[in-house]
Amino acid sequence: MQFRDAVHADLSAIVGLLADDILGMTRDRAVVDEAYERAFRQITEDPRNRLIVADDGGEVVAVLQVTYIPGLGRHGAERALVESVRVRADRRGQGLGAALMAWVVDRARERGCALVQLTTDKRRQDAHRFYERLGFVASHEGMKLDLTGGG
C-alpha cells in the first residue's frame, strides 16, 4: 500500500469513491465532468492543498484531501484541515482508513502544524466513533451555510 499525491489518472476512481457513499449519492456524481476537472486542477496546483490516495497495486482504494491553513490563533500556528475521507466499500474495516489518517497526521506534524481538524456529518455515527478511536475530540460545534441548496 502506498499513500501518494493523486494524479489526473486517479480522478475517475476518486469521484467514484465520493459518490459511493450514503450522503455522497445525493451530492456527487460518479462521472467526471468539467466541475470535477476544474476542482482537481485547483487542488493539485495549490501548494496548500494535497489530494492523497491510497494506491494498492495501481488501484485507488481510498482518498482524502488535506488543506494547510495559516492562522494568527495559537501563536501564528498552521493547522491541517482534512476533508473528503473515503475508503472503498470492499476495503472498509481493514485498518486502511486508520493508516491513511495516521499518515496525514504525521505529515501535518512534520510540517509543524499545531493541530489537525476535520468535520464529519452528524449522521455519520460510524465515522464519529472511527475518529474518536484515532484520538480526535469533538471539541467544537461546527456550522455550515449551504450555498448550493444541495445539503
Side-chain angles (χ1 to χ4, degrees):
M1 184 72 58
Q2 174 190 14
F3 301 129
R4 61 170 174 77
D5 289 285
V7 296
H8 188 267
D10 300 324
L11 185 54
S12 181
I14 293 168
V15 167
L17 287 170
L18 295 174
D20 182 28
D21 172 90
I22 192 71
L23 299 178
M25 288 179 202
T26 64
R27 56 187 180 208
D28 285 300
R29 301 179 183 135
V31 176
V32 175
D33 61 13
E34 181 49 39
Y36 286 124
E37 292 280 356
R38 181 182 61 252
F40 182 84
R41 281 191 309 274
Q42 290 172 336
I43 293 165
T44 58
E45 292 174 2
D46 182 344
R48 292 202 167 275
N49 275 285
R50 293 182 76 185
L51 190 59
I52 305 299
V53 295
D55 180 325
D56 189 8
E59 279 190 274
V60 172
V61 295
V63 66
L64 65 72
Q65 179 179 343
V66 59
T67 302
Y68 298 104
I69 305 170
L72 293 173
R74 295 179 182 255
H75 197 235
E78 187 173 62
R79 64 190 65 213
L81 174 65
V82 177
E83 292 280 334
S84 300
V85 179
R86 299 290 190 282
V87 175
R88 201 170 72 189
D90 66 331
R91 300 298 294 269
R92 293 180 193 143
Q94 301 172 14
L96 176 56
L100 180 58
M101 288 299 296
W103 185 90
V104 80
V105 167
D106 286 346
R107 300 297 79 74
R109 192 174 281 118
E110 288 170 1
R111 190 176 167 111
C113 291
L115 59 91
V116 176
Q117 63 188 36
L118 55 83
T119 61
T120 181
D121 193 285
K122 287 184 177 192
R123 296 168 285 186
R124 295 184 188 276
Q125 295 301 313
D126 289 343
H128 300 174
R129 287 187 291 276
F130 167 73
Y131 292 123
E132 288 168 355
R133 280 195 308 270
L134 299 179
F136 285 83
V137 177
S139 61
H140 292 67
E141 183 74 19
M143 294 185 177
K144 295 184 179 190
L145 177 62
D146 184 356
L147 302 177
T148 67

